Amino acid sequence: MTPDPYPPPEFTLTVQAADARTLRLAIHGYLDYDTSDEFTPAVDEVLDAHAERHGPVLRHLHLDWADLTAFDSSGLSALLALRRHTHPAGITLHLHHQPTYFSRLLEVTGVMGHLTQHAHGTGSPEAALP
């Protein structure tokens, strides 16, 4: 049997660093149509483990995109779903080392500011602000 000339795209997520209020994750490989359904459960698993260990005190989720290979509208949808999950919990997303094509898609769709908008903690005085 000959090897498949088009192997399935791969996606992995690794924890780079963590403390009670900050978590740093690296995204590797593809975040596209074929893998975007893996992104949300993978991040949720890390967030759940963090909350188990530290409680609901996480405030900053840093995502490192340096090893991203591909990103499309399905990946963008998964990233927006992550924002919908984290923002109400008071967790601000920070995006680092974005490849040009990633930044361009965020720019063209106008979501960069939305994704990285500062989240107010649910128990903080800022949460009461309109």
Side-chain angles (χ1 to χ4, degrees):
M1 178 183 245
T2 61
D4 184 356
Y6 305 104
E10 293 184 13
F11 162 79
T12 58
L13 182 71
T14 57
V15 177
Q16 292 179 318
D19 61 42
R21 297 179 57 81
T22 304
L23 185 59
R24 295 180 184 278
L25 304 177
I27 293 83
H28 309 275
Y30 292 74
L31 185 53
D32 62 5
Y33 177 80
D34 292 320
T35 63
S36 61
D37 59 340
E38 299 171 37
F39 179 75
T40 300
V43 175
D44 284 348
E45 184 178 319
V46 172
L47 293 175
D48 290 346
H50 187 275
E52 250 182 62
R53 182 171 185 182
H54 300 286
V57 296
L58 183 64
R59 292 296 165 252
H60 301 279
L61 179 58
H62 295 264
L63 302 173
D64 186 331
W65 302 96
D67 293 328
L68 186 69
T69 307
F71 187 77
D72 67 7
S73 60
S74 296
L76 178 60
S77 179
L79 188 55
L80 287 167
L82 174 63
R83 196 272 187 190
R84 283 191 302 274
H85 175 75
T86 56
H87 197 75
I91 302 168
T92 299
L93 297 179
H94 304 271
L95 309 178
H96 303 283
H97 306 115
Q98 305 99 306
T100 304
Y101 58 86
F102 178 93
S103 297
R104 180 74 180 133
L105 184 57
L106 297 184
E107 180 183 313
V108 167
T109 57
V111 300
M112 176 62 98
H114 174 72
L115 287 170
T116 59
Q117 179 183 22
H118 181 71
H120 297 294
T122 56
S124 71
E126 296 90 358
L129 297 175

